[in-house]
Amino acid sequence: MTTAQLTTRQADRLVTALRHGQTLDAAATALGLELSAVWASARTDPRLTIALAGRDPDGPEETGRIMRADFLRLLAIGVAPSRAELILGASSSSGWRSDPAFAEACDAVSAAAAPYGYTGQVRLTPERVARFLEALSKPSTTVVKAAAAAGVTAPAVYQRRHRDAEFAKAMDAARAAAREQ
């Protein structure tokens, strides 16, 4: 049996009540919410989860904490770190890895997920190359954004550029087309 989750409005109202110092029981009662719905919603709502932990979910430090938690979650289900960065829209988790505790957590989660992890490597197929070049030819599109649109990582693009002169020329032409628009 699946427990119903809170609506976005209900969750926002509960977070506001918690931020203003109300206890969970008092706030849930005042808003007419079932605690089972609160727990079910907290599984997928980071703001609510942070408020339940007694912190302000809108605090600037919480954004980084949420991104790190999401990164670890993706590693736990077997997503490669480079793909996790694409999913999260993060430029690179390498800055996070300068924190020894987080680096250790990443290593531990990756090791635990290894039997279930992604085993194939995403290649720059002709279809992906076409999507990449099309995206790169649009104004203000970076290599990172174009790579994400094609479903590959920027390092994969640069590796291909380094070893494939025709691909490098096609990239240069796409960038020139973007500048002309």
Side-chain angles (χ1 to χ4, degrees):
M1 181 173 151
T2 303
T3 303
Q5 292 193 357
L6 303 178
T7 65
T8 301
R9 184 167 187 240
Q10 289 172 320
D12 286 345
R13 291 176 69 202
L14 179 58
V15 166
T16 298
L18 294 171
R19 287 177 65 202
H20 289 126
Q22 287 188 351
T23 66
L24 173 59
D25 289 341
T29 299
L31 295 170
L33 304 175
E34 296 287 329
L35 286 179
S36 59
V38 172
W39 305 136
S41 297
R43 289 182 205 127
T44 58
D45 184 340
R47 287 189 75 245
L48 176 59
T49 305
I50 291 167
L52 291 171
R55 296 188 314 273
D56 181 358
D58 298 323
E61 68 282 355
E62 296 302 335
T63 301
R65 187 173 285 139
I66 290 168
M67 288 290 282
R68 288 177 178 187
D70 286 344
F71 188 79
L72 289 171
R73 178 184 57 83
L74 291 169
L75 293 180
I77 58 177
V79 175
S82 59
R83 182 61 55 109
E85 291 171 5
L86 288 172
I87 292 168
L88 295 174
S91 60
S92 175
S93 65
S94 60
W96 300 340
R97 295 193 54 98
S98 64
D99 173 1
F102 185 69
E104 189 175 315
C106 288
D107 293 342
V109 169
S110 292
Y116 314 104
Y118 181 74
T119 57
Q121 185 176 8
V122 176
R123 303 268 183 220
L124 268 165
T125 63
E127 296 80 16
R128 284 194 176 104
V129 167
R131 284 198 312 258
F132 169 76
L133 293 172
E134 180 182 342
L136 191 62
S137 69
K138 294 186 169 114
S140 302
T141 301
T142 64
V143 170
V144 171
K145 287 181 182 178
V152 297
T153 63
V157 168
Y158 287 119
Q159 287 170 5
R160 173 79 175 265
R161 179 182 174 86
H162 180 72
R163 71 174 190 274
D164 182 344
E166 291 301 314
F167 181 71
K169 287 179 188 173
M171 276 183 70
D172 293 342
R175 285 180 168 159
R179 284 190 297 271
E180 291 173 6
Q181 291 183 17

